[in-house]
Amino acid sequence: MRPFLAANPATGKVPRMSFHVITQAPARLNRSELAVPGSAPQMFEKAAQSDADVIFLDLEDAVAPDDKAQARKNIIKALNEIDWGKKTMSVRINGLDTHYMYRDVVDVVEEAGERLDLIMIPKVGTAADVYAVDMMVTQIEDAKGLKKRIGFEHIIETALGMQNVTAIAGASKRNESLHFGVADYAASTRARTTIIGGVNPDYSVLTDPLADGSRAVHWGDMWHYALARMVVAARANGLRPVDGPFGDFSDPDGYRAAAKRAAVLGCEGKWAIHPSQIALANEVMSPSDAEVTRAQRILEAMEKAATEGKGAVSLDGRLIDYASIRQAEVLVQKARQIAGG
Ligand code: GLV
Ligand code: MG
C-alpha cells in the first residue's frame, strides 16, 4: 500500500500540520531499552544477544561510587570488543551535578565513540545542561575525527527537568528521545510512593453510592500528567518519547499495563530493567496485526473516498476522515519499520 497522504500530489510536499517544520530525529526502533549496569560485565554478552532494540550501559545510579572508574573501563572495552550487532548502543553518564560526568564523556567518547550511538543524560534540568554536554561531545568528535554524530537521550526525572521539558527537547540537534524517569521524578516531586513506576491506591476516585449503597474505588494513574506532558514536548520537537522503568520485574501484568498506557499516549518504547521485560516491551510497543489491518482498511477506504470526491466516509459504522488517515499511516509506517528492522 502506498502512503496515501504522505505527499500532496499537487505540490509534492508532505503535510506537516503547521507552517513550522519539525525535524524528526533519525528513525530508530526504540520499543525496548535495556538497562545494563556498567559494573556488571558478566551481563554484557547476554544483553548483546537479547531482543532489546536499544541498550544503555549504565554509569549512573546502578553503579556504586567506588565502582565508577572500573565501570567506565568495562563499558569502553565492551563497546569496542563485543559484537552488539545492529543494536543501538547508549551509555548513561552521570549527572552534571557530579564530578564523574566530565570523565564519563571524555573517556567513553574518546575511546569508544565509534560504536557509541547515543549518550543518555540523566536528571537534565535546563537547556543549558544539554548545551554543556553538546559542547564537550562536539569537541571530542572533532578532535578524534569521528564520522558519526552521537545523539542524546534525556531522562526527564526532576521537577526542574519537567518544568523545562520543552526547552530541553529543543536544545540540541543531537536530541533523539525523552525518557520518563519515574523513580527520580517521584523523589524530586516528593510523590507519595516508593515503588518504581507502580500505582498508588491513594490516587483513586471514590464513586458516589451505587444502587446497592456500595461505593467503588477506581484507581488512577498518578504518572499520567507527567508522561503526557513529556510526550507532547518530545513530539513537538521530533523526538521519541520513551517510558522509563517499572521496578517490580516479577509482575509482568503490571509492566504490561504500564507499557500499554504509555503506548496509548504516544510513547514508542519502555525501559527493561530486567531481561524478562524486553519481550513485554517489544510486544506492547509493536502495533498488533489487528491494528495494522484496520489501519490499512482505513487507508483503502479513504483512497476510494478521495476518488469519489469525498473527505469523510464511514467504515464499520464509524466516521473516518483525513485525521484518520494520519493516524492509520503512523501505525502502518511503524509496522513497516519493525518488519524492516
Ligand atoms: C530512571 O532513571 C528513574 O529515575 O526512573
Ligand atoms: Mg533516575
Side-chain angles (χ1 to χ4, degrees):
M1 156 102 33
R2 74 181 170 81
F4 183 60
L5 258 197
N8 179 331
T11 62
K13 286 186 181 165
V14 176
R16 56 191 192 218
M17 301 199 210
S18 163
F19 190 61
H20 175 80
V21 178
I22 299 175
T23 306
Q24 299 295 323
R28 297 181 195 274
L29 272 185
N30 204 162
R31 296 167 303 171
S32 49
E33 180 141 349
L34 179 66
V36 183
S39 50
Q42 71 282 4
M43 293 181 180
F44 291 176
E45 278 291 353
K46 193 173 166 209
Q49 302 305 318
S50 75
D51 288 329
D53 291 334
V54 183
I55 293 177
F56 79 80
L57 302 172
D58 193 14
L59 286 169
E60 200 220 13
D61 278 357
V63 179
D66 286 350
D67 296 337
K68 299 274 188 200
Q70 184 58 47
R72 237 180 249 134
K73 289 189 189 135
N74 296 341
I75 287 176
I76 291 166
K77 186 168 184 313
L79 283 171
N80 287 324
E81 293 179 7
I82 290 180
D83 179 3
W84 299 97
K86 285 194 200 152
K87 290 202 186 319
T88 295
M89 295 304 296
S90 180
V91 169
R92 178 163 76 168
I93 59 173
N94 285 280
L96 276 76
D97 56 333
T98 72
H99 63 275
Y100 305 113
M101 170 260 166
Y102 79 97
R103 193 148 285 294
D104 292 343
V105 176
V106 173
D107 287 4
V108 173
V109 179
E110 274 195 354
E111 295 174 47
E114 296 281 4
R115 182 57 186 90
L116 191 61
D117 299 297
L118 303 168
I119 289 178
M120 175 179 268
I121 306 177
K123 298 180 182 67
V124 58
T126 67
D129 287 350
V130 183
Y131 184 91
V133 184
D134 195 348
M135 177 269 292
M136 285 181 72
V137 172
T138 302
Q139 288 196 25
I140 302 166
E141 282 178 349
D142 286 353
K144 299 301 274 183
L146 295 180
K147 302 270 177 313
K148 188 179 57 167
R149 186 162 69 180
I150 293 166
F152 287 166
E153 356 183 53
H154 300 292
I155 316 181
I156 304 301
E157 55 181 343
T158 61
L160 184 64
M162 191 58 82
Q163 175 174 270
N164 294 321
V165 64
T166 304
I168 290 166
S172 169
K173 288 200 166 62
R174 296 181 187 274
N175 286 358
E176 287 204 13
S177 53
L178 299 183
H179 300 243
F180 180 49
V182 66
D184 274 304
Y185 186 77
S188 172
T189 55
R190 303 190 195 186
R192 299 275 294 268
T193 180
T194 50
I195 306 167
I196 298 180
V199 282
N200 186 331
D202 286 345
Y203 196 80
S204 57
V205 174
L206 189 62
T207 65
D208 284 347
L210 306 174
D212 66 357
S214 66
R215 303 182 72 181
V217 176
H218 294 291
W219 291 37
D221 177 7
M222 63 192 285
W223 312 117
H224 172 83
Y225 166 75
L227 198 57
R229 184 171 171 177
M230 187 195 79
V231 168
V232 171
R235 293 298 185 196
N237 288 277
L239 313 183
R240 298 184 293 278
V242 178
D243 192 21
F246 185 84
D248 187 351
F249 54 79
S250 55
D251 179 11
D253 292 341
Y255 180 96
R256 211 182 258 112
K260 279 186 180 174
R261 290 196 303 275
V264 165
L265 286 180
C267 283
E268 293 205 15
K270 184 163 174 62
W271 288 15
I273 49 102
H274 186 270
S276 65
Q277 294 179 336
I278 298 171
L280 300 174
N282 287 348
E283 170 203 315
V284 174
M285 295 296 168
S286 307
S288 68
D289 290 347
E291 283 173 303
V292 176
T293 304
R294 176 161 169 81
Q296 276 164 339
R297 288 185 58 226
I298 288 173
L299 295 180
E300 280 159 18
M302 285 303 296
E303 197 158 7
K304 183 162 170 281
T307 59
E308 293 163 4
K310 294 180 192 157
V313 286
S314 75
L315 179 68
D316 304 334
R318 294 187 191 142
L319 176 87
I320 56 170
D321 65 5
Y322 281 90
S324 315
I325 298 179
R326 289 188 281 272
Q327 294 170 3
E329 282 191 336
V330 166
L331 275 166
V332 171
Q333 275 164 14
K334 167 63 68 178
R336 277 198 202 124
Q337 189 189 20
I338 292 166

